[in-house]
Amino acid sequence: MAENSDLDAVETVQEIDARGSFCPGPLMEMIRAVRDSQVGDAVAVWSKDPGSRTDIPAWIQKAKHELIGVQDKDGYTRFVVRKMH
Amino acid sequence: MPEEIVILGGGVGGTLTANLLDKRLPKGSARIKIVDPMGIHVYQPGFLYVALGLANSGWLSRSLRSLLRPGIEVVIDSAVKIDAKSKKILLERDGELSYDRLVIATGSYSDEQKVPGLHEGSYNFYSMAEAERLREALNNFTGGTILIGIAGMPYKCPPAPVEFAFLLDEMLRKRKIRDKTRIRFLSPLNRAFTIESASKMVQPLFEERGIELETFVNVDTVDPEKHELTSIEGETYSYDLAVLVPPHRAAAFLVDSGLVDKSGWLAVDPNTLEVVGQEGMYGIGDTTNLPISKSGSTAHFESPVVVEQIRRSIVGSNTNLLSSIGRIKRRSVSPSKLRYKGKVTCFLETGHRKATILIFNYDKPPNPPKPSVVWHLAKWFFNRIYWITVPRGRV
């Protein structure tokens, strides 16, 4: 997984601000975005929900995509995922 | 001049709001109109029982008029567009309606077209017609694999698929074909139910009953010919019978009126329930974007909040001054009733004449008690007294 500083350099096709959304909202928003993007695209989701810390990496693993990195920002977490298939 | 109050939708939220407003507003201070396409109120939790052959459809609907207080006008029509600037609603059949206060309670709708093959390849219990179609399929079922899943979130009545799994298991045991049937429960999350504490209660029961839980299954397509479901996660599940909760959406006219947020639901303040940026316009029930169950219970607890805000906006907060008018001679309302805190109460049937109850709000998750016959009987009793209580504002 990329370090915080490296993650800022990853180009994303979409930044989803799901900070106003509660579990499972951020996960569902990320799933929709990954489904609608192209193979190879990177997508980021911002979440304030503590459940996302486990749910989002677990889903990425199950769906066989790549978790590029997880960043702790100012009061929220940014997850960056690459669509692999 | 009396205030014009229009309520869109004659479900739990709309019917209850109309009755409470009529009860709590001083006589002559408002004209209340409720707009509904059919003029029929349907008790939707009953669809589950119809699908499983536990009830017939006759008791699930009543004329909306029969549930309303006499002073409320019923308009049989559908909204096509809301013009918030001029405070007018364009109707499908008969011109337009003006309003001073508007309550939007138009619920949620199945949107099967969102998932290719879903309609042709699966059953559900989210309308009377679909529940009856599923009942027939289950009557003809003699064994094989049944998939129970969720083809889109959020959806109406979150416990319903779990309840269906438990009651189906019981039904198949009674018919002595459970040993010939594999029940697979496909959850879009990494647990059986959206709420973690409820999942902790449900999952051991699934295991005990032999209901197989498959996690992170977000339905992508259904192939009606091959009897196969493919998930976004890239897995394929074969079936003999698939029962899939369809994706849901808000009423199309809300989208056309520019009142929905990016998620497609009516954007309301989570506490006041006022539509964002629209003074005097409120949203209750399934149609809102709130992070809470889409269920009749939600609408039931939201309705008094909206009613109190409208009442205060018309007569002010001092009920005593108006008590002499006659119809306001009732208890004063505490300021906490002006804010919705996310309260929801719902039963969850676990089969074999047992159920539990989920009581929660925005801040507190439920702590469901051990399933027992008491909660099952409470649910049974609630189903029977619904018509004389909830829509009429008696509980």
Side-chain angles (χ1 to χ4, degrees):
Chain A
M1 269 204 309
E3 293 298 318
N4 267 5
S5 52
D6 299 337
L7 210 51
D8 284 328
V10 175
E11 200 179 316
T12 58
V13 293
Q14 209 178 335
E15 292 281 331
I16 305 154
D17 185 355
R19 287 176 295 179
S21 173
F22 296 89
C23 179
L27 172 67
M28 289 297 131
E29 291 198 39
M30 195 195 66
I31 292 173
R32 265 193 289 273
V34 170
R35 188 182 58 181
D36 296 342
S37 58
Q38 304 294 315
V39 173
D41 284 350
V43 168
V45 63
W46 306 357
S47 174
K48 273 180 139 175
D49 191 284
S52 298
R53 275 270 176 196
T54 47
D55 288 2
I56 289 180
W59 181 81
I60 292 169
Q61 193 182 12
K62 163 88 188 249
K64 299 184 177 72
H65 295 298
E66 181 197 353
L67 179 62
I68 303 174
V70 179
Q71 251 176 329
D72 284 317
K73 293 272 194 178
D74 191 16
Y76 68 94
T77 310
R78 179 172 177 259
F79 300 87
V80 185
V81 56
R82 189 179 309 284
K83 181 166 176 162
M84 300 303 286
H85 52 86
Chain B
M1 283 281 284
E3 294 275 320
E4 296 288 342
I5 303 177
V6 176
I7 297 159
L8 299 178
V12 181
T15 311
L16 176 58
T17 302
N19 280 326
L20 290 180
L21 282 169
D22 189 65
K23 252 188 219 178
R24 294 181 186 173
L25 287 172
K27 199 172 185 178
S29 65
R31 264 206 302 256
I32 304 166
K33 290 175 185 157
I34 183 164
V35 182
D36 189 82
M38 306 295 284
I40 293 169
H41 182 108
V42 180
Y43 182 57
Q44 298 181 44
F47 295 155
L48 174 73
Y49 302 108
V50 171
L52 289 156
L54 299 169
N56 63 46
S57 51
W59 68 285
L60 296 184
S61 55
R62 296 268 171 99
S63 135
L64 181 56
R65 176 73 272 161
S66 71
L67 300 170
L68 292 168
R69 291 165 66 91
I72 300 163
E73 185 185 335
V74 178
V75 178
I76 312 284
D77 214 323
S78 303
V80 174
K81 200 165 184 176
I82 295 170
D83 182 347
K85 240 183 191 171
S86 61
K87 296 202 164 188
K88 282 186 176 146
I89 303 153
L90 180 65
L91 297 175
E92 189 177 77
R93 294 173 213 161
D94 196 15
E96 55 186 32
L97 273 181
S98 295
Y99 65 85
D100 298 306
R101 306 280 186 284
L102 175 63
V103 181
I104 300 168
T106 43
S108 57
Y109 295 81
S110 294
D111 193 3
E112 293 173 52
Q113 302 312 317
K114 261 191 184 164
V115 177
L118 184 68
H119 179 69
E120 302 80 6
S122 72
Y123 294 87
N124 70 68
F125 48 88
Y126 277 76
S127 70
M128 194 88 85
E130 287 297 331
E132 286 171 346
R133 198 168 77 90
L134 173 55
R135 179 170 61 188
E136 199 181 326
L138 288 172
N139 282 343
N140 297 328
F141 183 79
T142 53
T145 297
I146 298 182
L147 299 183
I148 302 167
I150 292 138
M153 288 179 80
Y155 61 94
K156 202 175 336 209
C157 194
V162 170
E163 291 184 292
F164 180 80
F166 284 131
L167 295 173
L168 174 71
D169 167 76
E170 184 185 352
M171 185 188 93
L172 297 174
R173 284 176 199 276
K174 280 183 184 157
R175 284 172 53 188
K176 304 203 185 308
I177 54 170
R178 182 65 179 96
D179 57 343
K180 293 178 190 158
T181 309
R182 184 181 185 194
I183 302 177
R184 303 181 82 183
F185 190 92
L186 314 179
S187 171
L189 308 174
N190 60 352
R191 52 184 177 272
F193 193 62
T194 45
I195 303 167
E196 203 162 355
S197 58
S199 276
K200 282 183 181 157
M201 190 219 65
V202 165
Q203 285 175 206
L205 288 176
F206 269 9
E207 217 172 304
E208 194 184 298
R209 312 270 168 88
I211 298 166
E212 299 169 36
L213 173 64
E214 307 287 345
T215 57
F216 284 141
V217 184
N218 286 278
V219 181
D220 192 25
T221 58
V222 178
D223 187 331
E225 305 287 318
K226 289 187 185 163
H227 277 218
E228 273 179 5
L229 177 155
T230 304
S231 71
I232 291 171
E233 290 77 15
E235 289 173 332
T236 298
Y237 299 84
S238 299
Y239 64 85
D240 295 291
L241 196 143
V243 182
L244 301 173
V245 176
H248 282 68
R249 59 167 176 81
F253 80 91
L254 294 173
V255 181
D256 298 339
S257 306
L259 294 170
V260 300
D261 69 2
K262 62 177 181 171
S263 70
W265 301 96
L266 182 67
V268 300
D269 180 282
N271 299 123
T272 66
L273 305 171
E274 196 164 48
V275 176
V276 175
Q278 306 292 343
E279 204 185 330
M281 187 192 289
Y282 301 88
I284 54 175
D286 292 4
T287 198
T288 74
N289 65 345
L290 297 181
I292 202 93
S293 298
K294 296 198 178 299
S295 71
S297 167
T298 304
H300 180 190
F301 291 115
E302 288 172 335
S303 175
V305 173
V306 167
V307 167
E308 181 56 15
Q309 289 191 72
I310 293 176
R311 190 191 69 77
R312 286 193 180 204
S313 70
I314 293 174
V315 302
S317 58
N318 192 339
T319 51
N320 296 330
L321 280 177
L322 289 150
S323 61
S324 56
I325 293 171
R327 299 184 77 197
I328 278 263
K329 207 166 22 173
R330 53 183 55 254
R331 66 191 184 280
S332 61
V333 179
S334 77
S336 68
K337 293 255 168 79
L338 276 170
R339 293 177 77 76
Y340 177 63
K341 306 274 181 60
K343 185 177 180 186
V344 181
T345 299
C346 53
F347 296 99
L348 193 156
E349 296 274 12
T350 55
H352 305 281
R353 297 178 145 263
K354 286 186 179 175
T356 183
I357 188 164
L358 309 176
I359 302 171
F360 55 100
N361 61 33
Y362 289 140
D363 302 316
K364 265 195 191 161
N367 183 16
K370 195 177 165 202
S372 78
V373 70
V374 172
W375 295 116
H376 170 74
L377 289 174
K379 171 76 180 182
W380 180 89
F381 185 63
F382 180 81
N383 285 338
R384 268 135 199 89
I385 63 164
Y386 174 79
W387 294 111
I388 54 165
T389 54
V390 176
R392 297 173 200 260
R394 290 181 181 143
V395 288

